Amino acid sequence: MRFSLTSQTSTDGVTEQSFTLGEITGVLFTPQGATGPRPLILMGHGGGQHKKAPAVLAGAHRFAAEGGFAVAAIDAPNHGDRPKDEQFLQFVGDMRARMAAGEDPAGLVAAMHDLLAGQAVADWQAVLTAVQELGHVGAGPVGYWGVSMGCGLGVPLLAAEPRIRAAVLGLLGVHTLAAPAARVTVPVQFLLQWDDTRVPRDQALALFDALGSTDKTLHANPGDHGGIPAFETDNALRFFARHLGRKLLKE
């Protein structure tokens, strides 16, 4: 697959470079004027979202501006600017009908993640290889940030990809992730919303427990699924700086 940078803009000290790799669409965030290698953070978006969803965009800008990291975000399979295949569209239509009929949404969402995970892992591995060949990124340490679907696709990625050294995960239950979670051994910071109406608390705690990492911390905050407090980005910055060997530009 050919890697191509397709456009570039800079805002508030952060440069965004859109790219394609085959049919994969993504964006790379770096400090404006960045030269030389630096740690890289991969950011996975939530279900129905895209590479520049508000939470991803806000986090990526802070990671680049305050941590000096490079950040890559891509559209998951069948999301954002990527083509939608008929099997996925049929699955989503069936899933919505079953949820409307009262079926457990957590189990249905987990099934959707399973449908996408194999392709998503291969996509991330290809993007990681391509981006690390850029002079202003390089082959330095790598982290992963992803909650909700970003967690559902991130756990299998972490289980398969040894280049990733640390991860922020959360907002998801264990369901079909117990086996890959057991193979995750890197440091993990896990986010849980105590009043999450989409993810049963016991399922989220079970996923945290299933992670094979000996270095893992649970951050539980009050509120519903989308209500992660802003200070958790501060925590993530410090977490990645500690585990990826980067001194923060702003304390």
Side-chain angles (χ1 to χ4, degrees), residues 14-17 19 26-31 38-44 51 56-65 67-74 124 127 131 136-137 143 145 237 240:
V14 175
T15 296
E16 300 179 16
Q17 294 175 293
F19 65 82
V27 59
L28 177 67
F29 304 84
T30 52
R38 64 198 56 251
L40 171 67
I41 299 173
L42 311 178
M43 293 193 73
K51 60 187 176 295
V56 173
L57 195 61
H61 270 252
R62 290 201 59 192
F63 292 154
F69 297 104
V71 182
I74 64 173
W124 271 124
V127 166
V131 168
H136 59 308
V137 179
W145 182 99
L237 265 166
F240 284 127

Side-chain angles (χ1 to χ4, degrees), residues 8-194:
Q8 177 173 311
T9 61
S10 294
T11 307
D12 297 328
V14 175
T15 296
E16 300 179 16
Q17 294 175 293
S18 296
F19 65 82
T20 59
L21 180 62
E23 70 169 28
I24 304 167
T25 47
V27 59
L28 177 67
F29 304 84
T30 52
Q32 189 170 353
T35 59
R38 64 198 56 251
L40 171 67
I41 299 173
L42 311 178
M43 293 193 73
H45 63 76
Q49 298 181 3
H50 53 82
K51 60 187 176 295
K52 295 181 77 172
V56 173
L57 195 61
H61 270 252
R62 290 201 59 192
F63 292 154
E66 298 178 34
F69 297 104
V71 182
I74 64 173
D75 290 321
N78 291 284
H79 284 71
D81 294 323
R82 298 184 63 170
K84 316 300 188 290
D85 64 58
E86 190 60 33
Q87 180 189 12
F88 179 76
L89 294 174
Q90 289 178 354
F91 183 92
V92 170
D94 180 60
M95 180 181 73
R96 288 173 176 166
R98 291 165 68 181
M99 288 172 64
E103 192 167 336
D104 174 23
L108 294 170
V109 168
M112 182 185 74
H113 296 171
D114 286 346
L115 179 67
L116 301 177
Q119 183 62 55
V121 169
D123 289 349
W124 271 124
Q125 291 178 313
V127 166
L128 174 52
T129 297
V131 168
Q132 286 196 317
E133 292 177 353
L134 299 173
H136 59 308
V137 179
V142 182
Y144 179 85
W145 182 99
V147 297
S148 195
M149 189 182 80
C151 177
L153 304 183
V155 169
L157 173 63
L158 291 165
E161 180 47 69
R163 288 175 289 181
I164 300 176
R165 297 189 187 179
V168 176
L169 303 170
L171 303 192
L172 199 66
V174 67
H175 289 282
T176 59
L177 292 175
R183 298 196 298 274
V184 174
T185 57
V186 300
V188 172
Q189 191 163 281
F190 192 91
L191 305 180
L192 182 152
Q193 288 299 101
W194 203 248

